[in-house]
Amino acid sequence: MDPSPLKNFVLSVGTGTMVSAVVSFGQTLVTATASQRALVAPLIEESRRALQELSAEYRALDREFFPTHVFEPTAEPDPAFNHLMMQDLHRTRQYFFRGFSGRHAAARLLLSHAEWELRAIVANPRDPNAVSGRARHLLRHKGAENDYDAVHERLQDEISTGLVGLFLARSRCSRVDVTVVSDPPLDRLEMFDDSVWLTLYSDTAGEPTLYPRTLRFSEGSFIYNMERTEFLRISNSRTAHHFVITPDTSRQEFLTLFEKITGSPLSTDGLSALESKFHNFRREFSTSADLGS
């Protein structure tokens, strides 16, 4: 434009508008940054904190109510299952076992090289219902060709073999506390200082297998605390029958103890026969479970 009052007017208005725009842009930028710091950032931080707390709560719930490991049913021993359990056994000082005969607990102790305090709850061989109840449960999930008398006799033999196994494992223990009960639970429990294992023989869904589903829960979980409380209640009960085997228990003392537990006398030759039977079981178990000899 040629120099004129109009040019001066346009230049003045344009300069003021540009300065106003720059100042407004700066104010907007500062205001937006301050607003983000004042409103958005705390909201993001609060959301992050809430997510962390929620994640921690879910982890706590998982630890309290959900198993750390689940082993599905198998027809043969699972080496991964047995290796992990043996690791728990090596780290523990107390070994709690609740089952029917105690053969597996004795075999695990003899395959290890440490010393533990063992507490075992097994079936009472003097009570017919303790054995017949387990026999009927087994027959309900087997074929019709299975014979009740044969199953009953096998279970009695397992109890005797298990007791002899616990006697042979006394050198691995500071003491062995044996409690016999008339109504042993179907599910096997093995508890260590930092874990508890539940073998679910009561889980009859699907095709029955020799080694049923097993769950491992960590120390501090609801299941661990519940099972430990129940185990101690039974093992300290005044109505149950309690027996003690120590490393100094002689063979003759065990023969007397065996008769007290089973109600049947055991000769020296009978003890030798049961020892051979248990060692055969231990070798078969250690080979199939890949645990060495």
Side-chain angles (χ1 to χ4, degrees):
M1 297 176 63
D2 294 332
S4 64
L6 179 61
K7 179 180 179 181
N8 295 336
F9 174 76
V10 172
L11 184 61
S12 301
V13 172
T15 302
T17 301
M18 185 175 65
V19 171
S20 177
V22 172
V23 172
S24 297
F25 175 77
Q27 288 177 337
T28 302
L29 184 62
V30 171
T31 303
T33 303
S35 299
Q36 183 178 14
R37 291 178 178 177
L39 299 175
V40 179
L43 182 61
I44 294 175
E45 184 63 27
E46 185 65 26
S47 299
R48 184 182 294 112
R49 187 181 303 109
L51 288 174
Q52 290 174 347
E53 292 176 355
L54 187 61
S55 298
E57 183 177 353
Y58 276 122
R59 284 194 296 268
L61 288 174
D62 286 345
R63 185 173 182 271
E64 187 169 1
F65 294 103
F66 293 94
T68 60
H69 296 77
V70 177
F71 296 92
E72 297 300 334
T74 59
E76 298 292 336
D78 184 354
F81 163 90
N82 285 288
H83 288 165
L84 181 58
M85 181 177 286
M86 293 300 286
Q87 290 176 12
D88 286 353
L89 177 61
H90 288 313
R91 290 193 300 265
T92 195
R93 294 303 302 167
Q94 286 187 323
Y95 180 19
F96 292 174
F97 177 88
R98 187 190 67 208
F100 186 75
S101 67
R103 294 182 305 160
H104 289 84
R108 292 188 189 283
L109 292 174
L110 286 172
L111 290 170
S112 303
H113 304 283
E115 183 176 87
W116 299 272
E117 176 190 339
L118 173 64
R119 292 190 179 190
I121 298 176
V122 297
N124 185 357
R126 281 178 173 265
D127 192 329
N129 293 325
V131 181
S132 62
R134 178 61 62 95
R136 292 194 303 272
H137 170 77
L138 293 175
L139 289 171
R140 283 197 298 270
H141 304 286
K142 294 183 179 294
E145 69 278 2
N146 288 273
D147 180 66
Y148 173 82
D149 292 334
V151 173
H152 191 280
E153 182 179 355
R154 176 174 62 83
L155 292 176
Q156 286 280 12
D157 187 66
E158 287 183 3
I159 295 177
S160 298
T161 305
L163 291 173
V164 172
L166 294 175
F167 168 69
L168 295 174
R170 69 195 187 282
S171 61
R172 301 289 197 274
C173 305
S174 57
R175 59 182 285 152
V176 179
D177 292 279
V178 181
T179 300
V180 295
V181 295
S182 299
D183 54 346
L186 292 175
D187 297 333
R188 180 193 298 159
L189 175 142
E190 294 176 80
M191 180 174 289
F192 310 99
D193 289 349
D194 57 0
S195 65
V196 60
W197 296 66
L198 293 174
T199 303
L200 305 178
Y201 287 94
S202 60
D203 184 6
T204 57
E207 187 69 20
T209 58
L210 185 59
Y211 299 94
R213 194 165 185 253
T214 301
L215 309 178
R216 179 188 184 273
F217 294 88
S218 63
E219 184 270 334
S221 67
F222 173 79
I223 299 298
Y224 182 96
N225 294 328
M226 180 184 69
E227 293 294 348
R228 184 178 180 88
T229 300
E230 178 64 11
F231 185 95
L232 293 175
R233 183 191 68 81
I234 297 174
S235 62
N236 294 326
S237 173
R238 295 181 179 180
T239 59
H241 301 285
H242 308 283
F243 306 92
V244 177
I245 302 174
T246 69
D248 296 327
T249 301
S250 65
R251 295 175 67 86
Q252 188 58 47
E253 289 172 335
F254 177 73
L255 293 177
T256 303
L257 184 63
F258 184 91
E259 185 174 358
K260 287 182 180 179
I261 297 174
T262 64
S264 302
L266 182 66
S267 65
T268 303
D269 293 339
L271 176 58
S272 299
L274 287 175
E275 286 178 335
S276 299
K277 188 174 296 186
F278 173 77
H279 283 304
N280 289 334
F281 164 78
R282 176 184 56 79
R283 283 189 290 268
E284 292 174 0
F285 170 67
S286 61
T287 300
S288 59
D290 192 23
L291 294 178
S293 58

